Amino acid sequence: MQILKFGGASVKDADGVRNLEKVLNVVGTQKILIVISAMGKTTNAMENVIDHYFNSKHELQSSIQEVKKYHNGILLDLFENESHEVFKVVSKLFQELSDFFSRNKSPDYSFVYDQTIGFGELVSTTIVSHYLNHKGIKNNWLDVRELIKTDHYYRDAKVQWEATQSKISTAVDGNTLYITQGFLGSDANNFTTTLGREGSDYTAAIFAYCLNAKRVTIWKDVPGVLNADPRYFENATLLHTLSYEEAIELSYYGASVIHPKTLQPLQRKEIPLFVKSFLNPKNEGTKVGKALELSPKVPCYILRSDQILISVSSLDFSYIVEENISHIFKLLHLHKMKVRSIQNSAISFSVCVENKYDHLEPLVLQLKAKYDVKVDLGVKLYTIRHYNTAAITEIEKNKTVLMKQITPETVQIITKS
């Protein structure tokens, strides 16, 4: 069995869907399970829908119609006949979305987010599945929410592996082509959950683990894993091979090509991961596997923007000791802050965080009850793996360095610029 994952950029329009068919003509359609993300920027558009539901209800239906119009345009390009069944199926999904907003009573943003955000994936996979069937490539559409079971930690749910293994093993026989959604699961009450933003890669790894897959291939709009994000760094270099351990390090620090959770289940069963270009499917791309060397051995750059640097120091010049650090981390956990880097001295403790759940203000208020607190908003966190002097110098050029931490293989630099 092979698992193929196609991101939103690969199916952003009708030509993208047609190109997916071309990729299948290269890799084959037997013993294949395809995981597909929402089309293009649909997830962003759906977040806008959710925002209107909470903050601007008079704009809710128009924002839903915008998403529907975008997908209808793709449908009209792919199918000659508007009486095709797919038009009714997609329309029904959007009606389900509107119906949810009409009947929902929960004020919990994270719950509402998870019940609605995944309609992007449900629609994209419906369109692709019907298109492939229309072109004679028979496939079975699976609702991933019936297969991946999680806890109810909405927006970042944890997989319940035993239940998930049982359901996937029962639903997938391995002898046909399957299409399913990335990013989604469901809890014990069958409410939809999500695996974290960009969680479709993780979905592919979950299926690979449960099915003992031969390989996983993530199809991107880049030639493979690069040593830097070309949107922010010039002259990015393709990495031909790297080990699970190196890939986990890169993903931990924020490399965007591979989701942080994706690699652990693959490593446990030594399933190789390939990252390839959907524009050039015959090219080799990048292979991630057991005991592979980083090739070529070059510095790898990772940027996290819009971070927050919180500097905490004692009010009476006493030492910041284990008790203080434990208290600070309890507060960070309580307010669901994503910690990206830490540094401490005798009387101070600094932590770079990501304010994913918008809980900064109550966190700072609690910290100020016991400490002197300084907050720097909108800082950038640069991480360089396998750094050299030239790499550090280039990052620091024309920037104000707020914090810097160096280990033998990694340097992290927080700047305000």
Side-chain angles (χ1 to χ4, degrees), residues 41-71 93-94 96-102 104 109 112-120:
K41 300 296 184 181
T42 297
T43 299
N44 292 338
M46 288 299 299
E47 288 178 339
N48 189 48
V49 169
I50 297 166
D51 178 67
H52 286 162
Y53 172 73
F54 280 102
N55 302 310
S56 185
K57 277 194 168 61
H58 66 281
E59 296 184 87
L60 175 61
Q61 286 304 317
S62 63
S63 58
I64 292 174
Q65 288 305 311
E66 281 297 311
V67 181
K68 185 176 181 179
K69 180 181 177 182
Y70 165 68
H71 289 91
L93 285 170
F94 280 103
E96 287 179 19
L97 175 63
S98 294
D99 289 347
F100 170 79
F101 287 125
S102 296
N104 176 62
Y109 179 90
V112 172
Y113 184 99
D114 276 13
Q115 304 322 298
T116 55
I117 197 74
F119 276 88

Side-chain angles (χ1 to χ4, degrees), residues 28 61 78 89 97 104 121 126-127 160 181 185 209 319 324 333-334 341 357 387 401 415:
Q61 286 304 317
L78 290 173
V89 178
L97 175 63
N104 176 62
E121 279 74 14
T126 296
I127 292 173
Q160 295 177 338
Q181 308 78 38
Y209 180 90
Y319 291 145
N324 306 109
H333 175 71
L334 175 66
S341 183
Y357 292 91
Y387 60 88
V401 176
T415 72

